[in-house]
Every structure is written in structure tokens, then in C-alpha cells.
Amino acid sequence: MITPMKKVTVLTLVSHKEETLKALREMEIIHLTPLQNAVGVSVNGAKGAVARVQKAMEVVPDKLRKGVTPAEKGASGVTLVEEIQTLISEKKNAEVQLEQSQEELTKLGAFGNLDPRTVKELAAKGIFVRLYLADTSKDPFEVEGECAYKHVFAKDENGTYIAVFSKGEAPAKVTGAFTEITMPQKSLEEYRQIEEEAKTTISAVDERFAQLASVKDELEDRLLEVTDRYNLVEASA
């Protein structure tokens, strides 16, 4: 006698999935339909919670390093994950600041305590300052105009760092093999300060990560909680 098919949902542990599927196939009375990837606000939220805890565990060492003060006990896994997320964001921002400041210092460090505000004030008085990196091995770097002066600040493997000062209605024209260097938005002293502050922040965050190794078991417990929650929500979707 042929009877209409009924939909049956089978739940099993992830570790027993293959074993369960094999048993169902061997019964030869069930047509298996794989579940579609669950979607929706609840599933995405649960999945995001798992990802956040996993990321937190990645940055925290497995063992407390010798000489490092352990973190205070008592904070919940939720609180620890929130703190670590904030620390990760702070470190990322500091790394961006460090990279940008070092890039400017590498490019402009040869010009000493260059301050774009001073350059702007001079321009208002008809005195122009332009910065160049010249390859004098190819062609001589020359400045046109009687009211123009060039000053060589430094030389390295990249070329010769030259500043051109001129007075008039427009900056002096120059010739040779060169690249004009864009004037920075901040003074080099400010970039040095940003660089130092960024290094301090990165060091402090890394130290805090090292301290949190003493409470990593709380993160492991939290991971189990959010993983169970995700599996439940996914199965119910």
C-alpha cells in the first residue's frame, strides 16, 4: 500500500551527522532533502556572535606569559568579548595612524621641522615654498627666476631633497628630473607625536591581551554558549 510522504525533521549532533545520514539511507524509506542555509536576522545575529568570540580568542594568548600581571577574575564572557572588541578597534586605528605618520615622516623627514601653516602664511605674503625629490644624476635641477632660491636638505638612495623658495605672483618654475612632493597636512612634529602615541596605544593593547590570557577559559565557555545558540537558531530556521 502506497501512502503519501510526510515531512520529517531529524535533529542530531554535529559529531553524529555522518553516522545518522548513513543509517537513514540504509532504511531506504526516507527521501533526504538537505536543509538550505538558514538566513534571517536571528541566524545572522547568532552567527555574528560566534564570529566575535572567535576573533576575541584569536588575539588572546593561550597561556599567561611570565612576568605579565594576570587580569582580575569575575568578568563574564560577554563583558570580556566587548572589551576585546574595543581593544581590537583601538589597535586597528592606532596601526592606521602609525602607518600614515611613518609614511609622511619617511617622505618628508629630510626637511626638518616643516610646518605647512608657516608655508601657507608665507604664500599669503607672496613667498612660495615647493618641495622636490630630484634625480640629479640624470639632469641638473635648475630654478628659473631671479627671485628664486633652492636649498638642498639631504641626499639618499632615492635622490636629492630640495626646497625651492621664490617670491612673486606664482611659484618659480623648475627643470630637471624630479618629483614634486605634496605639502603635508600637519607639521612633522605633529606626525612624530602621532607616531609615538600610536606605538604607545599598540603596546598597551598588546599588554592587555597578554593579561587576558589568565581568563581565557571564560572566553571558551562563552564560545560554547554562542555556538549552541547558533546551532539551535539554525536548526529552527
Side-chain angles (χ1 to χ4, degrees):
M1 178 179 176
I2 300 176
T3 59
M5 295 184 70
K6 294 181 180 180
K7 180 178 179 181
V8 178
T9 301
V10 179
L11 299 179
T12 185
L13 295 174
V14 175
S15 57
H16 294 169
K17 183 175 70 173
E18 295 301 326
E19 180 182 340
T20 301
L21 288 172
K22 181 180 179 181
L24 291 172
R25 291 190 185 99
E26 290 175 350
M27 292 173 67
E28 296 184 351
I29 60 172
I30 295 179
H31 175 70
L32 300 178
T33 303
L35 287 173
Q36 299 296 320
N37 289 334
V39 295
V41 176
S42 297
V43 174
N44 290 336
K47 188 175 183 179
V50 173
R52 286 191 292 274
V53 179
Q54 289 175 332
K55 182 62 178 177
M57 293 188 66
E58 286 177 7
V59 299
V60 175
D62 292 330
K63 294 182 179 180
L64 187 68
R65 193 173 69 245
K66 185 177 181 180
V68 174
T69 303
E72 293 184 8
K73 299 284 187 179
S76 68
V78 175
T79 300
L80 290 172
V81 171
E82 290 177 350
E83 179 189 358
I84 293 169
Q85 277 190 284
T86 300
L87 291 170
I88 290 173
S89 179
E90 290 179 358
K91 183 176 180 179
K92 184 176 181 179
N93 290 336
E95 287 173 339
V96 171
Q97 293 290 318
L98 179 62
E99 182 180 359
Q100 291 177 344
S101 61
Q102 289 182 333
E103 182 179 344
E104 291 297 318
L105 289 170
T106 298
K107 182 173 65 177
L108 298 160
F111 295 102
N113 292 321
L114 178 67
D115 190 332
R117 288 182 291 266
T118 302
V119 173
K120 189 175 181 179
E121 291 171 0
L122 290 172
K125 300 176 182 179
I127 301 174
F128 298 95
V129 181
R130 293 294 184 270
L131 310 176
Y132 300 94
L133 177 60
D135 184 356
T136 55
S137 65
K138 293 183 178 180
D139 297 297
F141 182 86
E142 301 292 347
V143 180
E144 299 179 4
E146 295 181 358
C147 298
Y149 165 74
K150 67 177 180 181
H151 179 77
V152 176
F153 276 86
K155 295 181 181 180
D156 63 17
E157 65 277 4
N158 296 315
T160 303
Y161 296 86
I162 302 172
V164 174
F165 305 86
S166 59
K167 187 174 183 180
E169 296 182 355
K173 294 182 179 181
V174 298
T175 59
F178 65 86
T179 299
E180 183 171 355
I181 300 175
T182 304
M183 196 66 63
Q185 296 181 347
K186 296 179 175 65
S187 70
L188 297 191
E189 184 57 37
E190 287 175 302
Y191 281 120
R192 293 186 186 99
Q193 184 176 350
I194 292 172
E195 178 188 35
E196 190 60 35
E197 290 174 353
K199 288 180 178 179
T200 299
T201 297
I202 293 171
S203 177
V205 170
D206 286 340
E207 180 66 17
R208 181 56 179 165
F209 286 157
Q211 293 174 348
L212 291 171
S214 64
V215 292
K216 193 166 186 178
D217 55 334
E218 293 290 342
L219 295 175
E220 293 171 348
D221 290 343
R222 179 58 180 165
L223 181 60
L224 291 176
E225 292 175 8
V226 295
T227 301
D228 287 344
R229 171 63 180 167
Y230 172 68
N231 290 335
L232 178 61
V233 172
E234 186 181 39
S236 302

